[in-house]
Amino acid sequence: KAQESRASRYLHSLGAEFRPEYIFPTNPFLKGANAAARPINRSLSGHLRYSFRYRPGSSADRIYGGAYQGVGIAWYDFGNTRELGSPVAVYLFQGARIARLAPRLSLDYEWNFGLSFGWKPYDREANPYDIMMGSKINAYLNVDFYLNWLLTQRLELTTGLSMTHFSNGNTKFPNAGLNSIGMKLGLVYSFGTVSYTHLTLPTKL
């Protein structure tokens, strides 16, 4: 019974996200000095995620402000597979509620931290234009601010701002890095019902 009680304290979820982002043209390679002779100014990524949190409405959930954490995997496309590759990012994430805006709507934040694999790095002969990335493996950093809409007792819609950074932390040259900003759109399915009663806005005294 104790194990069941501990297990019932947590709500486990699976989510999927789509993130289109604009890439800041911070170096000549991104501006168009590449083999394709065109700007690299957008990224598209798909994310699969597992998370867990204290059961909404519980004392722990109220104390920690709806905090959640989990692990995700993402596939990135920068529109130039030949010179950049199609990196896969594996990351940990954590987020929480900033403010409750309505009974089924909240403003949340989230950070992601992990590693990305599968880059095609700079090579004097094979990849001479890519003066941006010098490593096959790079750090992945992301921060999101978004709206969380509770659609049903199990399904949530997330949409908002996403900011991403890739670099190798100056462990190998070159390391110009890649920075982007855009939006996130996702669905989260929870294995267990979420009662609406705890989402009611407090009444004024």
Side-chain angles (χ1 to χ4, degrees):
K1 291 183 178 180
Q3 290 181 346
E4 291 180 359
S5 178
R6 284 194 295 268
S8 65
R9 293 174 60 192
Y10 299 100
L11 188 67
H12 301 269
S13 304
L14 288 179
E17 285 186 4
F18 174 65
R19 300 182 188 176
E21 298 186 28
Y22 167 76
I23 299 174
F24 293 103
T26 54
N27 58 72
F29 175 72
L30 293 174
K31 293 177 181 179
N34 50 58
R38 65 186 184 206
I40 301 172
N41 54 19
R42 56 95 180 157
S43 72
L44 298 173
S45 62
H47 300 246
L48 293 176
R49 297 142 56 86
Y50 159 77
S51 63
F52 66 95
R53 54 180 165 162
Y54 289 110
R55 189 164 293 278
S58 65
S59 298
D61 177 71
R62 290 192 292 268
I63 292 171
Y64 293 104
Y68 63 91
Q69 45 275 315
V71 60
I73 183 170
W75 292 264
Y76 271 84
D77 176 24
F78 299 107
N80 190 331
T81 304
R82 175 184 171 186
E83 295 176 278
L84 284 177
S86 296
V88 174
V90 179
Y91 58 92
L92 301 174
F93 62 87
Q94 185 178 49
R97 184 171 56 246
I98 297 174
R100 176 68 62 191
L101 304 179
R104 299 191 189 185
L105 175 65
S106 66
L107 174 64
D108 296 10
Y109 78 90
E110 181 182 299
W111 59 261
N112 303 172
F113 177 74
L115 294 174
S116 55
F117 307 84
W119 293 87
K120 290 186 177 179
Y122 168 80
D123 183 277
R124 183 176 297 179
E125 296 182 0
N127 198 14
Y129 294 103
D130 184 4
I131 60 172
M132 184 178 69
M133 291 295 186
S135 302
K136 293 181 179 180
I137 300 175
N138 291 282
Y140 165 77
L141 302 171
N142 173 270
V143 176
D144 301 326
F145 296 94
Y146 66 96
L147 295 174
N148 188 320
W149 307 77
L150 189 61
L151 301 179
T152 72
Q153 289 184 318
R154 292 178 181 264
L155 192 63
E156 297 165 77
L157 171 67
T158 60
T159 178
L161 179 68
S162 180
M163 296 172 284
T164 305
H165 172 73
F166 293 97
S167 73
N168 63 34
N170 288 324
T171 58
K172 194 170 183 180
F173 182 81
N175 183 43
L178 185 149
N179 301 287
S180 60
I181 187 170
M183 67 171 292
K184 63 179 282 179
L185 178 65
L187 289 172
V188 180
Y189 179 84
S190 297
F191 296 90
T193 59
V194 180
S195 172
Y196 295 139
T197 58
H198 75 282
L199 299 177
T200 304
L201 292 171
T203 56
K204 295 182 179 180
L205 297 177

